[in-house]
Amino acid sequence: MECIFCNIKEGKAEAEIIFEDDHILAFLDIQPINYGHTLVIPKKHYDNFLTVPRDELNKLTHATQFIAGIIKRTLNAEGFNVISNNGDPAGQSVFHFHYHIIPRFKNDFSLRPAVKNYKEGAMKEYGEQIRSFISKYKDIYNG
Ligand code: 5GP
Ligand code: ZN
């Protein structure tokens, strides 16, 4: 399947690349939420957060931390968001895993949606449901 980020990695599509090593590539988002908005991708194609192997994810996260610090300093940003959208309902539009680094400034905009409140006992129920799946699958975490 055609993937725009694979094309960028292979030099078949243009991008404003700011950093790369053997495993990762970082380039400016073509439609930035703020100027300097950067995408950090693994060079190998993985669809989303759940399918990136652990060692690759570690390298990607390490690079994202480094680049976020550089962007904050370079642009004198007062903060930044590191986010990843996973799946269509979460806003993912390019299905090659990536972190967004978005430089932030006081009063620029709000990324905060309306919040919910748990009904009596519901938080415990959600907790129990999730914990029971964790005990079922914790070999994945340990392995
Ligand atoms: P997602 O919606 O999957 O979380 O993020 C995909 C991001 O990729 C979007 O913010 C979008 O602006 C950016 N994007 C899509 N196509 C291109 C492109 O061809 N070049 C660059 N530099 N960014 C792109
Ligand atoms: Zn790809």
Side-chain angles (χ1 to χ4, degrees):
M1 205 181 73
E2 184 82 358
C3 169
I4 180 62
F5 289 176
C6 283
N7 286 345
I8 288 172
K9 182 218 103 186
E10 285 157 20
K12 292 182 194 155
E14 276 192 31
E16 192 64 34
I17 292 170
I18 58 166
F19 183 73
E20 73 178 298
D21 67 14
D22 291 345
H23 303 277
I24 72 100
L25 184 66
F27 52 89
L28 297 185
D29 193 303
I30 204 166
Q31 287 190 309
I33 296 180
N34 265 339
Y35 298 120
H37 177 169
T38 295
L39 303 174
V40 192
I41 68 164
K43 284 192 168 173
K44 282 197 199 149
H45 182 105
Y46 303 103
D47 286 358
N48 62 55
F49 189 60
L50 296 180
T51 57
V52 186
R54 194 185 296 184
D55 57 334
E56 296 252 15
L57 189 63
N58 286 344
K59 286 176 181 133
L60 191 69
T61 305
H62 173 64
T64 301
Q65 183 191 44
F66 170 68
I67 296 160
I70 297 287
I71 286 173
K72 186 171 184 292
R73 279 183 152 208
T74 311
L75 304 178
N76 285 320
E78 292 156 292
F80 58 89
N81 295 104
V82 173
I83 56 173
S84 87
N85 301 320
N86 290 273
D88 185 54
Q92 186 174 12
S93 61
V94 176
F95 290 79
H96 180 136
F97 182 67
H98 51 281
Y99 284 123
H100 294 255
I101 303 170
I102 304 163
R104 298 300 303 271
F105 302 89
K106 272 201 181 67
N107 303 319
D108 53 1
F109 52 82
S110 172
L111 279 179
R112 197 166 298 204
V115 296
K116 299 183 193 310
N117 292 301
Y118 284 107
K119 294 207 174 80
E120 181 76 29
M123 190 186 237
K124 197 169 182 351
E125 276 172 32
Y126 274 89
E128 276 167 4
Q129 209 180 333
I130 295 164
R131 278 192 298 274
S132 85
F133 269 79
I134 286 181
S135 32
K136 207 164 151 190
Y137 290 105
K138 70 172 175 293
D139 287 353
I140 296 176
Y141 180 70
N142 293 328

